[in-house]
Amino acid sequence: PPILPALKGVVAELLREGAERFILPRFQNLSSQDIATKSSKTDFVTIADQETEAWLIPRLFEAQPGFIIGEEAAAMSPRIRNKIPAGYSWTIDPLDGTKNFVRGKPAFCSMVALLWNGKPIECWIWQPLVEKLYYASQNHGAFLIDGASETRLILRGRPVDVDLMCGSGNSLGLAEPKKSVFQERLRGLVGRRFPGSAGIQACLIANGEEDYLIHGNSTPWDHAPVDLLCRMAGGCAGMLDDQERFHASMTGPFMAASSCQGWEALKKLG
């Protein structure tokens, strides 16, 4: 599909402005009225999530018309995930790492992906506190943009021995008995950590700092950008059962790793 070259800069600027307007002023400055919960008492949503998404939706549509799947809109209308059409779509996670944000911790970001027929072809992960953008394009690769500096991300030399790998994994969204089986698999990972943000973890993988992300279920707003960024940096990503490339309608276990050899080694744990 044709990708407008201008989108790279347009979306980056939208994410920067959205964060400056709605996210950063509320970091470590939330009142109890600014916080609510969704699926559980630890599944937070804040006024910053809601206002950022509402502000981004019309502006992304103006930049590239298409179906839009926002995390907060999907929380209100879950069936939206079943209506992904052919052609262009957008996914929006206005504030990934909301629990960290609520607790005043810095591991959060804003994520957007452009999809074609349900699969990611471009993505942006903006870390507003450090002003770093991780960008990937199916046609051009993965990049870290830090001010005027743009560095191509190419993964090399990461460990493929599971005991030497570090990363994150969780079983959120799984029901029993699958949940217990999946948790047992994760317990075998020596280097498992808990950053609390899929986007932050994807950036660590793509930048050659960590090695894997394993999630018990997948969502368009989290895993479309994670999938594309890690693959375009030279890693391996896909559905855990069959390594199929992520599609926005998929809900099963997902894994990204810093190499395909490492991906296979992690899969063998199960």
Side-chain angles (χ1 to χ4, degrees):
I3 299 176
L4 296 172
L7 274 183
K8 178 182 176 183
V10 168
V11 176
E13 180 59 24
L14 288 175
L15 288 173
R16 184 199 62 76
E17 185 176 349
E20 286 190 355
R21 283 173 176 262
F22 307 111
I23 296 174
L24 293 179
R26 292 191 173 93
F27 182 53
Q28 299 179 335
N29 192 35
L30 288 167
S31 69
S32 58
Q33 290 82 8
D34 294 333
I35 306 166
T37 56
K38 295 186 287 187
S39 63
S40 73
K41 63 182 180 181
T42 58
D43 184 13
F44 295 111
V45 61
T46 73
I47 191 169
D49 298 71
Q50 295 165 333
E51 290 186 349
T52 305
E53 183 171 307
W55 186 84
L56 284 171
I57 285 172
R59 290 162 176 82
L60 290 173
F61 187 87
E62 181 180 357
Q64 172 59 67
F67 189 73
I68 296 179
I69 314 161
E71 178 179 13
E72 307 316 326
M76 301 295 292
S77 305
R79 293 182 189 174
I80 194 171
R81 294 182 58 175
N82 303 325
K83 299 177 180 178
I84 299 158
Y88 288 110
S89 300
W90 290 101
T91 67
I92 307 172
D93 191 340
L95 182 50
D96 182 56
T98 302
K99 188 185 295 185
N100 290 335
F101 185 77
V102 166
R103 293 173 175 172
K105 296 180 179 180
F108 62 85
C109 60
S110 297
M111 302 197 290
V112 164
L114 179 64
L115 280 52
W116 176 257
N117 294 340
K119 295 183 178 181
I121 57 173
E122 251 185 307
C123 71
W124 297 255
I125 301 178
W126 174 241
Q127 298 182 18
L129 286 178
V130 294
E131 298 187 341
K132 291 182 179 181
L133 175 71
Y134 286 79
Y135 167 79
S137 162
Q138 181 176 275
N139 295 339
H140 301 295
F143 301 87
L144 167 57
I145 301 169
D146 185 358
S149 169
E150 183 168 317
T151 306
R152 188 177 185 115
L153 300 174
I154 302 174
L155 286 165
R156 294 192 185 96
R158 293 300 302 171
V160 296
D161 181 333
V162 170
D163 289 339
L164 300 177
M165 298 169 76
C166 59
S168 74
N170 68 61
S171 58
L172 295 176
L174 284 181
E176 296 294 357
K178 286 186 177 180
K179 186 170 186 175
S180 294
V181 173
F182 199 77
Q183 285 175 331
E184 189 59 35
R185 173 187 290 188
L186 293 175
R187 286 189 191 103
L189 298 172
V190 176
R192 183 178 168 216
R193 304 173 187 180
F194 301 92
S197 164
I200 295 295
Q201 187 63 36
C203 294
L204 290 170
I205 294 170
N207 204 33
E209 298 175 68
E210 296 202 6
D211 300 295
Y212 62 82
L213 172 152
I214 309 171
H215 284 173
N217 75 331
S218 47
T219 63
W221 46 87
D222 277 339
H223 297 97
V226 168
D227 173 86
L228 188 66
L229 179 65
C230 292
R231 284 191 297 103
M232 290 300 100
C236 191
M239 306 310 289
L240 188 56
D241 293 336
D242 54 13
Q243 206 177 333
E244 186 176 353
R245 185 181 166 191
F246 180 75
H247 183 283
S249 64
M250 294 174 174
T251 59
F254 173 92
M255 181 163 67
S258 54
S259 70
C260 289
Q261 193 175 347
W263 200 100
E264 292 295 338
L266 287 162
K267 183 174 172 57
K268 288 176 183 175
L269 286 179

